[in-house]
Amino acid sequence: LFIDYAGKKLSYVCRGSGEIIECEFFACVLGGSQYTYCEATHSQQKEDFINSVENALHYYGGVPAVLVPDNLKSAVTKSSRYDPTINDDFLGMATHYKCSVMPARALRPRDKALVERYINILYTRVYARISEQTFFSLGELNQAIGECLVQHNNTPFQKRPYTRKELFEQHEKELLSPL
């Protein structure tokens, strides 16, 4: 499972104050089927990051063998080319779900090229569709993202007669460990 945050932020308006609250855009993609999950979170802090990864695992209905996050502080406390130090809480979550963590190397976008490519796709399939709408809570924003996500996963690949969801259901779902 390749994990990353998009560079562009989403936002919603606080009903009480009218303040615009910016949110991070979390995205992850399974390597085989390219089945995608994304959501908005308040921050990239450890709690939000771990919660988003757990939400993704529940969305997929299982646990992949390896989690491949970017080198953000919520996942990696000490970056190293060959032996990075994984954040204790994130490592505890991975241990609980019986999976490994193999962070992408710093400054090596090819290590997680699949999720980088899908973030660009999500810019057009999610950002473009919801950019003109006004949301008044994180829940409303995530509901709109979820609707776009369902459509994205059910859209056939270019020049292929099948979708990401079909590929996931037929081949990859059975390879995931139970939650």
Side-chain angles (χ1 to χ4, degrees):
L1 181 67
F2 296 93
I3 304 166
D4 201 4
Y5 282 96
K8 296 180 184 176
K9 295 187 181 206
L10 297 169
S11 63
Y12 67 91
V13 178
C14 179
R15 279 194 201 271
S17 66
E19 176 186 6
I20 296 174
I21 299 172
E22 288 193 332
C23 301
E24 300 290 338
F25 188 68
F26 172 87
C28 58
V29 61
L30 288 169
S33 63
Q34 300 174 22
Y35 197 48
T36 309
Y37 175 78
C38 57
E39 69 177 23
T41 64
H42 282 116
S43 71
Q44 291 187 26
Q45 297 299 314
K46 180 172 48 178
E47 294 80 15
D48 286 332
F49 174 69
I50 291 172
N51 188 46
S52 293
V53 172
E54 286 182 324
N55 290 344
L57 298 180
H58 288 280
Y59 179 80
Y60 294 128
V63 181
V66 181
L67 302 176
V68 183
D70 197 1
N71 265 287
L72 68 156
K73 287 289 184 192
S74 300
V76 180
T77 54
K78 183 182 175 207
S79 182
S80 169
R81 185 175 185 144
Y82 301 106
D83 191 24
T85 304
I86 310 299
N87 180 299
D88 288 337
D89 294 329
F90 185 56
L91 185 59
M93 185 221 53
T95 303
H96 172 76
Y97 286 109
K98 297 179 177 82
C99 62
S100 301
V101 176
M102 190 175 80
R105 294 171 295 168
L107 305 174
R108 301 285 184 211
R110 287 182 297 173
D111 287 359
K112 56 182 179 58
L114 189 62
V115 74
E116 296 285 352
R117 186 171 134 240
Y118 269 84
I119 284 175
N120 286 332
I121 291 169
L122 293 173
Y123 280 144
T124 58
R125 294 195 178 168
V126 175
Y127 274 76
R129 291 196 179 140
I130 65 173
S131 64
E132 298 300 317
Q133 299 176 36
T134 302
F135 303 99
F136 296 100
S137 71
L138 187 62
E140 283 181 23
L141 177 58
N142 278 325
Q143 184 176 356
I145 290 170
E147 292 167 7
C148 294
L149 182 62
V150 167
Q151 189 173 3
H152 164 73
N153 283 325
N154 288 317
T155 300
F157 286 99
Q158 289 182 358
K159 302 179 185 176
R160 301 278 189 254
Y162 48 83
T163 68
R164 289 160 191 79
K165 185 173 184 174
E166 291 169 345
L167 197 57
F168 170 73
E169 296 285 339
Q170 292 173 3
H171 300 289
E172 202 164 26
K173 187 172 186 171
E174 63 193 31
L175 299 175
L176 299 178
S177 302
L179 289 169

